Amino acid sequence: MSDTARRHLLTRRTVLGAGGAAALGALLAACGGGDSSEGGSGSGSGAWTFTDDRGTKVSLKSRPQRVVAYIGSAAALYDFGVTTEQIVGVYGPTKLKDGSPDPQAGRVPVDKVTIIGNAYGEFNLEKYASLRPQLLIDNMFVPGQLFYVPAESKDKIFALAPSIGVSTGSAPLPKPIERFRQLAAALGADTDSAQVTQAKARFDKAAQAVRDAVAANKGIKVLAASASPDLFYASNPGKNSDLMYYRELGVDVIVPDKLDKEGYFESLSWENADKYQADVIMLDSRTQALQPKDLGDKPSWKDLPAVKANQVIGWQPEPVFSYTGCAPILESLAQTLKNAKKII
């Protein structure tokens, strides 16, 4: 989902408290602007380079050993073998209110990393500087824009360490997965391990299961959507990475006809939530979006055919971009499509 969409769904918070700027300045000076070449064991010999999806080439004296990443990026890298010895800090939806891991954290052991922000707009610069970062990694849903880096403080953030952006929008699911695999390998992970190989095989099997389900149960129309108190968002399978891939597998995902500026969704008032009729609704299951249990006071929601038929499933617009993260999602989709009833 685009940065614009996230602004609809989340409340922005201040980044620095009173007196924070002065303390930050001291930490920036201590960090030396992020040019540290300090590395731990297994850092490799010689210079380290990686060209990201902005076309930016990052060059360091050695392989970075102190990485801070958006939680979605961290989760993908972790599945490919990059450990929390190397990923020292994260930002983005990492913990739920009860302290348990947010689903977007994937398998990352969240108690073993420093959390420098847990929601959109939260990025504690002082804490970030104290981690002595050598590299910052983030997803990109809008070309050239690191997703969870606050615009108002990005210059100070980028002064601390070089950054890498991985494009996670406008490309079918296997492409960002492969880019995270390449980045993990560059960071020293064994991406040919038995775990990764088995996850890839499970992913491929699940993708074929989706194809088979589509062929066996023809004509099922699917709407991917997200709910907020005031608006119902119909998502575009031409921009969302997972939806693009589902269409490649044969899934009939509805394409909205009046998209927002970034092209990720169409904003509908709740009175018009029935604009697109679907047999199955995939509803945004992230913590910042409203869930079916929250929508009881929306008559238009209860009147949707898929809701009446109990054919609403959870959807993760920001999957963990790894074979481990996406294989179960494909398996669940295949099962849903296999069992769905044609109702429109």
Side-chain angles (χ1 to χ4, degrees), residues 53 103 206 219 250 292 316 342:
D53 291 341
Q316 178 52 269
K342 181 67 181 171

Side-chain angles (χ1 to χ4, degrees), residues 37-312:
S37 61
E38 177 185 350
S41 60
S43 61
S45 59
W48 185 89
T49 64
F50 189 87
T51 301
D52 77 354
D53 291 341
R54 297 170 296 184
T56 300
K57 183 177 181 179
V58 174
S59 299
L60 299 171
K61 294 178 181 179
S62 61
R63 182 181 294 150
Q65 295 299 303
R66 301 189 61 80
V67 175
V68 175
Y70 170 58
I71 188 61
S73 302
L77 293 170
Y78 189 86
D79 282 347
F80 281 116
V82 182
T83 71
T84 52
E85 291 183 2
Q86 201 168 3
I87 302 171
V88 296
V90 298
Y91 55 98
T94 304
K95 285 187 176 182
L96 301 176
K97 290 180 180 179
D98 63 3
S100 62
D102 188 286
Q104 286 182 241
R107 300 187 311 121
V108 174
V110 296
D111 291 330
K112 293 186 177 181
V113 292
T114 298
I115 300 171
I116 63 173
N118 199 58
Y120 191 86
E122 291 182 357
F123 194 111
N124 189 314
L125 281 163
E126 296 174 68
K127 191 177 288 188
Y128 177 56
S130 73
L131 291 173
R132 295 176 291 115
Q134 295 173 315
L135 185 66
L136 178 76
I137 300 172
D138 205 330
N139 292 3
M140 293 192 305
F141 289 92
V142 177
Q145 296 182 22
L146 301 192
F147 187 35
Y148 256 66
V149 172
E152 61 270 22
S153 54
K154 63 182 178 64
D155 291 343
K156 293 177 181 178
I157 293 169
F158 293 152
L160 280 163
S163 63
I164 282 176
V166 177
S167 181
T168 50
S170 301
L173 195 55
K175 184 172 182 179
I177 291 176
E178 173 61 17
R179 285 297 279 157
F180 274 113
R181 188 199 67 78
Q182 292 170 354
L183 179 54
L187 290 170
D190 179 8
T191 60
D192 293 320
S193 68
Q195 178 178 315
V196 173
T197 301
Q198 291 167 6
K200 174 66 161 59
R202 181 181 175 185
F203 177 92
D204 290 342
K205 183 179 179 180
Q208 185 58 49
V210 173
R211 294 188 187 96
D212 293 344
V214 171
N217 195 5
K218 298 181 183 297
I220 300 297
K221 287 188 173 294
V222 177
L223 176 67
S226 184
S228 74
D230 299 320
L231 294 171
F232 185 66
Y233 302 96
S235 294
N236 180 14
K239 291 283 282 190
N240 289 271
S241 180
D242 57 341
L243 302 182
M244 291 179 73
Y245 187 51
Y246 299 164
R247 291 187 80 195
E248 288 187 357
L249 297 176
V251 182
D252 187 358
V253 185
I254 293 169
V255 182
D257 57 27
K258 292 185 179 180
L259 299 169
D260 74 310
K261 184 176 68 173
E262 304 295 351
Y264 273 90
F265 61 86
E266 177 178 351
S267 302
L268 298 168
S269 66
W270 277 105
E271 290 77 11
N272 294 314
D274 61 352
K275 178 177 179 179
Y276 301 107
Q277 297 290 300
D279 300 294
V280 173
I281 293 177
M282 299 168 52
L283 190 68
D284 187 346
S285 62
R286 291 175 298 173
T287 52
Q288 70 268 23
L290 297 184
Q291 302 307 304
K293 64 180 177 60
D294 306 315
L295 299 174
D297 63 344
K298 308 288 186 186
S300 55
W301 168 256
K302 293 184 289 185
D303 290 340
L304 295 176
V307 176
K308 288 182 176 180
N310 197 30
Q311 294 189 160
V312 178

